[in-house]
Amino acid sequence: MRLSRRRLTVYCVAFLFAIVMNFAVPRLMPGSPVDSMIAQLGPRATPAAIEAIKARFGAIEQPIWQQFVDYVVGLAHFDLGVSVKYYPQTVLEVLGRSAGWTAFLVVTAITFSLCIGVLLGAVAAWRRGGRFDSFVSPFSVVLIAVPPVIIALATLFTFGVTLRLLPVGYAYDPSLDPGLNFTFFGSVFLHAIMPVLTLSPYLIGEFQTTMRSSMISVLGEDYVTMGRAKGLSEAAVMFGYAARNAMLPVLTNLALMLGAVFGGSIVTEIVFNYPGLGLTLYTASVARDYPVIQGQLLLMTIATLGANLLVDIIYGVVDPRIREGRA
């Protein structure tokens, strides 16, 4: 339990640091959200309207220390403030509308990539030096090196513009009413194909290279030799003995890559006009919507820290030796 408390302390310190940075970074940006909101009014920006806006968002113009105190107090009461761009909606309402779509994309891309990457890495390690390994391993390095924006634009141009096989924007057909029916789910699936294909190549490359190197290191272990001596099939030894123990570094890499996945989802959602957190963050940045920017960055921080904590828990399930070491 000593290790568990130490890890929890690290997570708490990281969360507190994220709160401070989350508060400071938007305020280092040029411009003022109040000025931006007044500019949006145009001819309607009467003196009375300007005073009303300043009164509603007056906390933004207070001294910086007072802003930070109000920000922390609001977090303690789960109050992230009111959006400047989407006024009078609250930040929780804005993020709640977008978080589900981003979670859907990220979970789908990670699940798909994990299955493909682990399978390719395991087979490449099992047959290392062969034709399959000689093709898959270098190709995985290429997938890691290609930026998501290049893949997004190439996918959009190929499948959306040239071949016209897939829709080029939105999370579902705007003419449909959301509901629990196959028509709506089918539209959601079609609109998610290109964003998922954009996020997956980097993940597949990372999972493949990590799984291959990890599995090569365990192929010489005694339990793999014992599995072969029992006369088990090649697939049983490969996945039941070698691959299971080689998964720990893959899980570590998964937790470390979550931040990169969120970064890739921002670019992906902007390119495909997908109504997730990435597009919301972009529009909030343009509008200097401090409350939404802060709320979203905090949400991503919580998701990343939570994923790392979940990986620590899964470690004990996959490898009992870790669980015994913490007892």
Side-chain angles (χ1 to χ4, degrees), residues 62-314:
Q62 290 178 352
I64 193 70
W65 64 268
Q66 184 64 49
Q67 295 181 42
F68 182 73
V69 171
D70 294 341
Y71 172 66
V72 174
V73 172
L75 288 181
H77 292 85
F78 299 98
D79 180 13
L80 300 179
V82 179
S83 170
V84 174
K85 179 175 176 59
Y86 302 100
Y87 181 83
Q89 298 182 45
T90 65
V91 173
L92 288 179
E93 291 174 342
V94 174
L95 296 182
R97 189 171 59 243
S98 307
W101 294 114
T102 295
F104 171 66
L105 279 187
V106 170
V107 171
T108 303
I110 288 178
T111 303
F112 172 75
S113 303
L114 185 64
C115 295
I116 299 299
V118 167
L119 178 62
L120 293 178
V123 176
W126 191 262
R127 301 177 179 177
R128 62 187 182 279
R131 293 182 179 179
F132 183 84
D133 182 31
S134 299
F135 171 77
V136 170
S137 297
F139 186 66
S140 297
V141 177
V142 175
L143 293 180
I144 296 173
V146 179
V149 64
I150 301 298
I151 299 176
L153 294 175
T155 304
L156 178 66
F157 180 78
T158 302
F159 298 103
V161 178
T162 303
L163 300 178
R164 297 183 181 275
L165 295 176
L166 298 170
V168 297
Y170 305 107
Y172 57 89
D173 190 342
S175 64
L176 296 177
D177 293 327
L180 300 177
N181 54 74
F182 288 107
T183 302
F184 175 71
F185 288 144
S187 180
V188 170
F189 174 77
L190 286 177
H191 283 74
I193 290 178
M194 285 200 292
V196 169
L197 290 179
T198 299
L199 292 174
S200 296
Y202 169 79
L203 295 173
I204 291 175
E206 285 283 359
F207 289 140
Q208 192 277 334
T209 54
T210 304
M211 184 65 183
R212 179 184 180 276
S213 60
S214 177
M215 189 161 172
I216 288 177
S217 66
V218 304
L219 286 178
E221 298 291 337
D222 293 339
Y223 51 81
V224 176
T225 304
M226 182 183 66
R228 287 169 170 165
K230 288 181 178 180
L232 298 177
S233 65
E234 183 177 282
V237 177
M238 183 191 309
F239 296 106
Y241 285 76
R244 178 181 177 182
N245 291 277
M247 280 293 295
L248 289 179
V250 177
L251 294 177
T252 302
N253 207 23
L254 171 60
L256 296 175
M257 287 192 302
L258 191 60
V261 175
F262 277 126
S265 69
I266 293 176
V267 175
T268 301
E269 291 172 5
I270 293 174
V271 171
F272 294 104
N273 197 28
Y274 200 84
L277 292 174
L279 187 61
T280 300
L281 180 61
Y282 172 74
T283 56
S285 300
V286 173
R288 303 292 188 266
D289 194 343
Y290 289 176
V292 171
I293 295 174
Q294 292 175 165
Q296 177 157 342
L297 295 178
L298 184 64
L299 182 62
M300 289 184 172
T301 300
I302 293 175
T304 303
L305 293 177
N308 280 270
L309 181 60
L310 181 61
V311 167
D312 278 347
I313 297 174
I314 295 177

